[in-house]
Amino acid sequence: MASEKPLWPLLADAPSDADLSRCVHCGLCLNACPTYLITGLEVESPRGRIHMAKLVSDGRSELTASIQAHWELCLQCRACEAICPSGVPYGRIQEGARAQLDAAAPVGKNARRIRKFVLRNVVARPRVLATVVAPARWYANTRARGLVRRLLRGRLRVIESQLPHRVGAPFRATTGGTDADRADGVLFTGCVMGELFGNVHRATERVYERAGIRLSAAAGQGCCGALHAHDGDLEFARRLARKNIAALERTTGPIVVNSAGCGAAMKEYGDLLANDEPWARRAQAFGARVKDASELLSPTQGGAFAGTVAYQDACHLVHAQRIKDGPRALLASLEGCEMIETPGADVCCGAAGIYSLVQPAMSAELRKRKSDQFAAAMPAVIVTANPGCHMQYEAAVREAGIQARVMHLMEVLDEAGSDDRVG
Ligand code: SF4
Ligand code: SF4
């Protein structure tokens, strides 16, 4: 029987009853859910997790350590949301659930505090992040890497193998891009993306330049806040969203994002700031300008890229932004590019932001599925559109024991359009 008052102090950010009540328990989402596919357990399914959120919301259950564990195993991949016929906004529900955990998780409080500190004070602070990433960039490009890798075991070995094959110079808002006055749009530089994947930003710039669109890396922009929101730190995510809105609303044209997770979060700034006028209106206008890097390009642009290519959907591109065919059409249009569809290309790889660090066992299970598929299909190139997936695929390729290159879609298009093509 429901008590009159919730046993749990509900926050403004807790999942709303309106959102939770949309679930009609049909179960159509179950087989789309990676954690359900691996465990076969209802409590590790979207329906199960929504049911637990409703119990807490109705005051029929406390927020127990067991509920916390089931929520935290969720990858927030939103495959369930994309398939749900009732339009349950699962991403929003899960962010609300994480906000409840952020306020008062029954267990693991210290680990949460450390995570929150790192996300706020390292990831979201460009200078600190640059200092932390610099040794990783040096190490990734050093010859000693092969030797060190052979000596590592267990999780350290996995983390090492996620580091990209080579890490180029950083591309920061202050250092890259066309002069803002001459630009047709903005390239969103982000946090980790700009530090570890500067090459992808430079490739995106060149691809857009060839398409006749000049991008500036307007100053003042920073981390999008997706990692913070996914971890329940909605207050800080809102702070970062306001900062980006204030910085980029001085610019014109599309805001081009080549990281699927950032793009999804930024398109949804209106949701994040819905109860914060006048930011809510500004956030809606901002979100309407955000485009994934694949959205503004046409397959008629041409180019050649010889090789077998396996495109893997990033969850926040396919499920959150509902972009599935566009990137494939761009690849298929390249002369010599032979596309291979691997089974479950749209099933989460297990990277999921910081998930591979905090849920290593499930992350490893999902990566193994990918590495088995790669070992069977033997693509020459694995193509992604998200930095976390990129790193997970680097590890999956090593696990599969194949020679495939892992590339961002923009890097493939860049090579395809350059005079110095490599297949
Ligand atoms: S979330 Fe959607 S698909 Fe899943 S059980 Fe509820 S209504 Fe059905
Ligand atoms: S977000 Fe992904 S992992 Fe979480 S319940 Fe939905 S489908 Fe499952």
Side-chain angles (χ1 to χ4, degrees):
M1 227 201 41
S3 61
E4 280 187 12
K5 278 184 84 185
L7 298 172
W8 189 251
L10 288 171
L11 310 162
D13 281 325
S16 75
D17 201 51
D19 283 351
L20 293 170
S21 300
R22 283 169 87 161
C23 177
V24 296
H25 316 295
C26 65
L28 284 174
C29 54
L30 267 60
N31 287 318
C33 173
T35 56
Y36 181 78
L37 290 177
I38 299 279
T39 64
L41 298 172
E42 174 74 19
V43 285
E44 306 301 0
S45 78
R47 184 172 63 183
R49 292 183 178 119
I50 291 169
H51 178 63
M52 287 178 253
K54 184 86 173 105
L55 289 178
V56 172
S57 175
D58 290 349
R60 286 182 285 152
S61 170
E62 290 193 40
L63 180 44
T64 63
S66 153
I67 291 178
Q68 176 180 349
H70 298 313
W71 283 353
E72 286 182 340
L73 199 68
C74 169
L75 295 136
Q76 296 177 274
C77 70
R78 295 169 66 174
C80 48
E81 184 175 312
I83 206 167
C84 174
S86 304
V88 174
Y90 186 84
R92 190 161 69 201
I93 289 174
Q94 189 56 220
E95 281 182 3
R98 300 295 171 109
Q100 284 176 291
L101 293 177
D102 184 59
V107 292
K109 287 190 180 66
N110 284 341
R112 269 191 168 271
R113 273 189 210 113
I114 294 169
R115 221 155 65 206
K116 191 167 177 171
F117 178 85
V118 171
L119 287 174
R120 285 185 171 206
N121 296 292
V122 179
V123 175
R125 288 197 175 183
R127 284 207 189 127
V128 182
L129 183 67
T131 308
V132 170
V133 170
R137 180 183 307 109
W138 171 82
Y139 167 74
N141 299 332
T142 182
R143 287 197 183 167
R145 186 171 179 183
L147 178 66
V148 173
R149 185 183 297 153
R150 276 196 284 278
L151 299 175
L152 295 175
R153 294 286 174 272
R155 279 191 72 189
L156 270 182
R157 191 184 177 115
V158 173
I159 292 169
E160 194 282 337
S161 69
Q162 287 174 326
L163 200 58
H165 186 58
R166 287 197 71 75
V167 179
F171 182 111
R172 301 178 183 130
T174 45
T175 58
T178 306
D179 186 3
D181 295 339
R182 294 189 301 120
D184 304 302
V186 179
L187 176 63
F188 182 71
T189 52
C191 52
V192 173
M193 196 71 206
E195 289 300 322
L196 268 184
F197 294 94
N199 287 349
V200 174
H201 282 340
R202 281 181 282 277
T204 308
E205 256 195 319
R206 288 190 293 267
V207 168
Y208 267 71
E209 186 90 44
R210 273 183 226 125
I213 304 170
R214 286 168 304 182
L215 299 176
S216 84
Q221 54 172 313
C223 173
C224 69
L227 294 177
H228 307 79
H230 292 168
D231 206 39
D233 191 358
L234 292 172
E235 181 201 329
F236 199 76
R238 289 191 182 105
R239 208 187 295 175
L240 294 173
R242 287 189 209 100
K243 184 169 177 274
N244 280 322
I245 294 167
L248 298 188
E249 65 188 0
R250 291 192 287 259
T251 63
T252 55
I255 298 164
V256 176
V257 188
N258 54 23
S259 156
C262 307
M266 292 162 69
K267 283 182 178 180
E268 294 172 356
Y269 274 177
D271 242 17
L272 186 66
L273 295 168
N275 299 320
D276 184 4
E277 282 296 353
W279 285 98
R281 262 175 292 122
R282 292 166 71 178
Q284 286 288 356
F286 179 94
R289 287 176 62 199
V290 176
K291 301 286 173 209
D292 177 70
S294 65
E295 282 184 273
L296 300 176
L297 299 172
S298 159
T300 57
Q301 210 181 316
F305 190 88
T308 49
V309 165
Y311 176 76
Q312 301 294 304
D313 298 274
C315 296
H316 284 85
L317 199 58
V318 67
H319 304 314
Q321 300 185 54
R322 313 285 165 99
I323 294 174
K324 188 178 178 77
D325 298 334
R328 287 179 169 80
L330 289 170
L331 290 168
S333 71
L334 303 176
E335 194 188 321
C337 178
E338 189 189 324
M339 289 188 66
I340 303 174
E341 279 295 339
T342 59
D346 62 352
V347 175
C348 184
C349 62
I354 58 170
Y355 189 92
S356 66
L357 296 174
V358 295
Q359 298 286 349
M362 180 58 76
S363 176
E365 291 260 12
L366 292 164
R367 187 177 59 245
K368 178 77 172 59
R369 286 165 67 105
K370 293 285 182 183
S371 65
D372 287 349
Q373 287 152 7
F374 297 157
M378 298 283 283
V381 181
I382 290 152
V383 181
T384 179
N386 193 59
C389 313
H390 195 129
M391 294 170 79
Q392 186 80 326
Y393 293 138
E394 292 277 5
V397 161
R398 296 219 175 96
E399 229 166 53
I402 61 171
Q403 294 298 318
R405 299 164 74 196
V406 181
M407 297 176 76
H408 190 284
L409 175 65
M410 291 300 124
E411 293 180 298
V412 175
L413 297 178
D414 182 39
E415 275 195 17
S418 79
D419 298 330
D420 193 19
R421 288 165 191 154
V422 186

